Amino acid sequence: MRDDVFDNRCYDDLFRRVFEFEQYGGRKDIFWIELDYYITRDCFVSRIGAELDVSMKSFSGNEIFRDALDRDAIAAIPYKVIDERVEPQTAFQDIYKVTEVYGYAPSETFNSYSGEVVQFPALRDTSAENKVEESVSFRYELGQIVFTDKESLFNVGDSLSFTMAMKVITTTPYQYAYGARATQLSQVVEVRIVNDARVCYCTDVSWFIYETNTTADSQTLITGYGGYRGGTATRGFTVRDQFNAQASITNFITYHTAFPGVDDRLKIFAGDNEVQEINSATTPTFAQWQTWKTDGTLVCLLEPEITQVGALYKKTVKKCRAR
């Protein structure tokens, strides 16, 4: 005769606490729960997502949580089956021992600490009070932008932004070469003394023309209109380049029942565009970053990590001090 005693779940008489959160400073005041039951192989059905019933009884007829002093507290927590381990118990593998893990996602944030390599952003002070600007006449020679530095303001290695003024081509009738701005920074690569004047040789840039909403190259805009164009060269003070460094990380860990957002990393915006340099016109600004450095503010410069713990998601946001 067939023994059908295990056609229904036969629970052990005890439950176990699982101290998932002990890793965060030894926390044992909150926990998950494990229960074991036995069932025939063909009657097993996954119970992921099933809620915990503190009145459930073991195979012997006893309430499993009868001796739990914190039974009411356990009943108030939204425990659900987040994982289950299945182990065959007989040679024929027709009886399963199933360990159910009842868990939940606490509303609090946990901390741990580590050391990791972090890429810190470039910093450039472009505020008006620290700006150096000179009216110049641009020329284009052998792939470089050249101008005379009448006030001796610029040196090799300086990063410069350029604007090009409108130029009158003819007066009868009036025709103009439109003004433009450089779409990227140029760098001074050489300074020569020519006829007692400092001449700066700078890397080439492309240009944005406001009136036509188009871009053009330097040869077209300079050589194509008489070989020179008036404009301005501006230097914002470069504080530092982007760099990598080992940093002390504070990990902010949260648990979630649904896949969490991943947009925690600090993004630097110039208008709607994400950039890699913080300056006086970006969000955050150069001044804001300097305040963060002084205050020891923690910023997220690494992508968050998300791992699955059973049916829950564990999210780790990594932050370090601004520097």
Side-chain angles (χ1 to χ4, degrees):
M1 181 182 295
R2 178 174 176 269
D3 184 359
D4 60 357
V5 67
F6 292 119
D7 282 357
N8 295 306
R9 296 188 306 278
C10 298
Y11 280 93
D12 276 345
D13 210 31
L14 301 172
F15 72 93
R16 296 183 298 277
R17 290 178 170 86
V18 179
F19 296 105
E20 163 71 15
F21 311 101
E22 184 179 14
Q23 59 188 304
Y24 312 119
R27 292 287 300 273
K28 287 189 172 68
D29 56 318
I30 54 178
F31 48 83
W32 292 343
I33 291 171
E34 282 186 350
L35 298 178
D36 296 330
Y37 71 84
Y38 297 84
I39 194 168
T40 56
R41 176 186 57 214
D42 294 338
C43 293
F44 168 72
V45 176
S46 174
R47 284 172 33 83
I48 294 293
E51 296 181 356
L52 176 66
D53 177 7
V54 295
S55 299
M56 65 196 306
K57 294 182 179 181
S58 69
F59 177 68
S60 62
N62 297 319
E63 288 193 0
I64 298 172
F65 293 90
R66 62 191 180 278
D67 296 327
L69 298 178
D70 52 355
R71 172 178 169 146
D72 290 342
I74 292 174
I77 296 172
Y79 283 110
K80 293 184 179 181
V81 178
I82 63 169
D83 199 5
E84 51 194 3
R85 300 188 298 274
V86 179
E87 301 175 16
Q89 296 297 293
T90 65
F92 296 104
Q93 300 193 10
D94 57 343
I95 302 296
Y96 286 166
K97 175 186 176 182
V98 180
T99 299
E100 293 181 324
V101 180
Y102 289 82
Y104 74 105
S107 59
E108 60 187 292
T109 299
F110 305 95
N111 292 128
S112 66
Y113 305 91
S114 59
E116 297 188 37
V117 174
V118 176
Q119 185 177 76
F120 290 90
L123 299 178
R124 192 164 65 95
D125 186 355
T126 56
S127 56
E129 61 269 23
N130 291 319
K131 186 167 62 176
V132 174
E133 187 172 273
E134 183 176 10
S135 297
V136 299
S137 180
F138 296 117
R139 305 190 305 278
Y140 184 74
E141 298 177 8
L142 300 175
Q144 292 182 309
I145 296 175
V146 181
F147 63 86
T148 299
D149 177 16
K150 299 181 293 295
E151 304 296 328
S152 300
L153 298 179
F154 307 122
N155 296 288
V156 172
D158 286 350
S159 294
L160 308 181
S161 58
F162 294 147
T163 58
M164 188 179 293
M166 182 180 292
K167 181 178 181 179
V168 177
I169 301 172
T170 63
T171 56
T172 52
Y174 271 100
Q175 291 184 335
Y176 303 94
Y178 293 126
R181 63 169 173 81
T183 59
Q184 67 259 44
L185 294 176
S186 176
Q187 188 172 55
V188 181
V189 295
E190 185 179 3
V191 176
R192 299 179 189 173
I193 305 301
V194 180
N195 297 326
D196 296 327
R198 288 170 56 85
V199 178
C200 294
Y201 294 79
C202 308
T203 55
D204 197 8
V205 296
S206 60
W207 301 83
F208 176 75
I209 304 171
Y210 305 96
E211 286 84 355
T212 60
N213 196 34
T214 58
T215 58
D217 58 83
S218 298
Q219 186 166 16
T220 299
L221 294 184
I222 299 175
T223 307
Y225 292 99
Y228 70 94
R229 293 289 297 271
T232 58
T234 305
R235 185 189 72 220
F237 285 87
T238 300
V239 177
R240 68 159 191 230
D241 293 328
Q242 191 177 74
F243 70 96
N244 293 336
Q246 186 82 11
S248 297
I249 302 295
T250 300
N251 300 292
F252 294 83
I253 299 123
T254 51
Y255 288 77
H256 306 264
T257 57
F259 195 87
V262 293
D263 57 348
D264 304 85
R265 181 180 64 82
L266 177 71
K267 294 179 175 61
I268 306 164
F269 284 98
D272 294 330
N273 299 316
E274 186 176 355
V275 296
Q276 301 302 313
E277 174 191 272
I278 293 176
N279 60 48
S280 302
T282 59
T283 303
T285 64
F286 175 84
Q288 179 67 65
W289 184 269
Q290 295 299 98
T291 299
W292 290 349
K293 286 171 59 179
T294 301
D295 295 345
T297 299
L298 296 177
V299 294
C300 181
L301 299 177
L302 298 169
E303 296 293 344
E305 292 181 359
I306 297 177
T307 56
Q308 200 156 357
V309 184
L312 300 180
Y313 298 93
K314 175 182 173 180
K315 177 178 178 180
T316 303
V317 176
K318 300 171 176 290
K319 295 186 178 183
C320 63
R321 290 170 63 103
R323 63 166 76 169

